[in-house]
Amino acid sequence: MDEYKIKSIEEGLTKIEFPEFDKVSSDAPVFYNPHMELNRDLSILAIQVFQKEQDREIDICDLFGGSGIRGIRYKNEIDGVGEVSINDISEVANHYERHNIELNSLNDIEVYQHDASMFLRMKRGEFDVIDIDPFGTPSPFLDSAGYCAHRNSLLCVTATDTSALCGTYQEPCIRKYNAKPYKSEYCHETGIRILAGFVALSLAKYAKCIEVKMSHSTEHYMRLYLEIKKGSKRTDESLKNIGYISHCKNCLHRQTSNGLASPITDICPVCGEKLVHAGPLWLGNIQNKDFIQKMIDEAEFKKINSEKEALKLLNKCLVEADAPATFFDVHAICKSLKISAPKFDLILEELEKEGFVAIKTHYNPLGIKTDANIEDIQNILLKFNENE
């Protein structure tokens, strides 16, 4: 291990060391991604809120340990954590995980060297929190996560294969998530919903269902925090949240259809053009207002380097918690109408004045979540254009 030049970093209250590398990739001797610090900071807030809601000591699995930063921070910075299990198939990673555990003078952290899916199947029912943060897709590990997760546990899932989930490459999404994506202006939300839908369907065979506590799409990745519930009746009811989003490329109308195998209209009710469909995906809530508010409150008691960025994101997610699925991109609509875009806040004000929900979204600075339809928004934009 001595041939590597060692780098030292600090996140929150935790210091770790690992071999330096030129760029973030799976070829690094030990994986550490500095761009995921916000992800880890938010995870600390989410898991602490979950622990307080459960009001008991929790055991955590960090499935892809890498440098050990995630699992070590969980033990070091979250109250009420019992044992943390850090797994990585790399022997070099295991060495640095143990080194970093010692560096932070921590107990009750076990290091394992197993294939990720096999590790989850060996440890059925042992974890209160399972964190799946792989390099790429989490898809191959979600069946084992469904097998392993127990009632009232928390499943945290990261996906970095956003080009598949957002529809840039359709075939990989179909292959990995059994869902057809569509690259629209709201494709990052569609991607989150495809991922949540795939988790829900993967867990359903074990009579387990999900309740989405918080989700976000940031830079190159998507992240879900899911509370796991159990029971066949509850799961059957939950699966009514699976469905499709249908989109009109011509007029930008969109609509949702609940049901895995329900009939879906192919013709746009607004302009008569053919609709394109994305799914199956999750049409239920993808933000939980109470949980996110508790995360915001918890930030006051944690040392997190990305506090300003984390709170900005959490407050945006809080506001859009009860908003309808999908959002409208103002510039995309103005482009289709061949008019210039008015000031963004004026459009929000006018929608609210006309009795519609009008909310900004964290997915896109020009996005509006609203219960208004495309014709309502077009009329408002055209009215602004005439007044100019």
Side-chain angles (χ1 to χ4, degrees):
M1 307 294 175
D2 298 333
E3 71 265 28
Y4 300 120
K5 187 179 178 185
I6 301 303
K7 184 172 182 176
S8 176
I9 63 101
E10 281 186 39
E11 285 188 13
L13 302 172
T14 304
K15 179 180 178 181
I16 65 155
E17 295 176 346
F18 55 90
E20 271 194 345
F21 49 82
D22 294 330
K23 65 176 183 176
V24 176
S25 80
S26 55
D27 295 330
V30 174
F31 191 73
Y32 168 78
N33 189 346
H35 304 298
M36 295 298 256
E37 184 173 3
L38 173 65
N39 180 317
R40 291 185 284 270
D41 286 346
L42 289 169
S43 301
I44 282 168
L45 298 178
I47 295 170
Q48 185 68 80
V49 169
F50 171 75
Q51 185 274 328
K52 287 184 175 179
E53 286 185 346
Q54 296 298 309
D55 194 25
R56 59 186 165 85
E57 192 173 81
I58 58 171
D59 296 331
I60 301 176
C61 167
D62 176 11
L63 192 59
F64 295 91
S67 63
I69 181 66
R70 188 175 288 271
I72 293 169
R73 284 193 69 188
Y74 290 170
K75 180 64 184 175
N76 203 24
E77 300 176 39
I78 299 173
D79 300 326
V81 172
E83 187 170 293
V84 174
S85 299
I86 300 178
N87 179 68
D88 200 294
I89 204 163
S90 161
E91 189 178 343
V92 180
N94 290 163
H95 168 80
Y96 282 95
E97 287 155 7
R98 291 188 182 95
H99 170 75
N100 289 324
I101 291 164
E102 285 180 22
L103 195 64
N104 290 277
S105 306
L106 294 171
N107 300 312
D108 292 329
I109 304 184
E110 294 293 327
V111 173
Y112 297 89
Q113 186 183 3
H114 292 289
D115 169 84
S117 289
M118 292 301 295
F119 181 67
L120 289 173
R121 289 186 176 271
M122 287 160 49
K123 298 283 186 177
R124 185 181 188 183
E126 290 188 22
F127 305 120
D128 301 291
V129 178
I130 298 171
D131 197 315
I132 302 177
D133 184 45
F135 191 85
T137 179
S139 168
F141 317 106
L142 290 170
D143 193 274
S144 294
Y147 176 83
C148 180
H150 65 66
R151 187 193 310 266
N152 300 330
S153 60
L154 189 71
L155 178 60
C156 312
V157 182
T158 303
T160 59
D161 56 334
T162 53
S163 58
L165 285 162
C166 289
T168 304
Y169 302 107
Q170 275 201 12
E171 288 81 3
C173 187
I174 294 167
R175 174 169 22 93
K176 291 186 275 190
Y177 298 103
N178 306 146
K180 183 173 168 284
Y182 177 66
K183 193 168 173 58
S184 64
E185 57 271 26
Y186 51 88
C187 62
H188 284 86
E189 180 178 341
T190 306
I192 287 266
R193 292 183 180 279
I194 286 173
L195 180 58
F198 182 72
V199 177
L201 290 166
S202 297
L203 268 60
K205 64 172 75 75
Y206 301 110
K208 295 171 189 175
C209 57
I210 64 168
E211 187 180 302
V212 185
K213 292 298 190 179
M214 192 245 172
S215 66
H216 64 103
S217 176
T218 304
E219 293 181 358
H220 66 290
Y221 69 91
M222 296 172 184
R223 179 75 163 168
L224 293 174
Y225 298 92
L226 311 164
E227 188 164 348
I228 308 304
K229 305 291 184 182
K230 202 168 188 305
S232 53
K233 281 187 180 177
R234 185 180 235 167
T235 301
D236 292 343
E237 191 62 30
S238 170
L239 290 180
K240 291 176 183 176
N241 288 302
I242 299 291
Y244 298 83
I245 294 172
S246 301
H247 180 90
C248 178
K249 290 189 271 188
N250 182 54
C251 73
L252 305 182
H253 164 76
R254 72 288 309 269
Q255 60 193 48
T256 59
S257 312
N258 285 69
L260 189 60
S262 301
I264 307 172
T265 308
D266 273 332
I267 303 301
C268 175
V270 176
C271 70
E273 288 292 318
K274 192 171 170 57
L275 293 171
V276 289
H277 312 293
L281 43 70
W282 183 260
L283 290 173
N285 288 341
I286 51 173
Q287 309 290 2
N288 182 298
K289 191 174 274 186
D290 291 342
F291 192 87
I292 295 169
Q293 184 59 60
K294 287 175 185 174
M295 287 177 69
I296 293 167
D297 296 342
E298 193 60 50
E300 191 181 332
F301 307 105
K302 298 295 181 191
K303 183 182 183 295
I304 53 176
N305 297 343
S306 72
E307 185 176 2
K308 190 177 176 183
E309 190 183 356
L311 287 174
K312 186 179 176 184
L313 174 61
L314 286 169
N315 277 294
K316 284 182 177 179
C317 292
L318 180 71
V319 169
E320 64 185 90
D322 297 326
T326 82
F327 60 87
F328 292 93
D329 183 315
V330 172
H331 280 194
I333 299 171
C334 289
K335 187 179 177 184
S336 73
L337 294 171
K338 297 181 171 59
I339 60 172
S340 57
K343 283 187 178 173
F344 188 73
D345 288 342
L346 290 176
I347 306 164
L348 290 173
E349 285 171 20
E350 191 61 31
L351 280 163
E352 287 174 349
K353 203 184 293 180
E354 294 194 13
F356 297 111
V357 172
I359 294 166
K360 293 179 181 179
T361 173
H362 83 276
Y363 296 105
N364 182 334
L366 295 169
I368 299 177
K369 279 187 162 285
T370 179
D371 54 352
N373 63 37
I374 186 64
E375 292 170 300
D376 297 321
I377 300 167
Q378 286 172 337
N379 289 336
I380 287 169
L381 292 170
L382 287 166
K383 188 164 70 177
F384 277 122
N385 191 60
E386 284 167 17
N387 292 340
E388 284 182 3

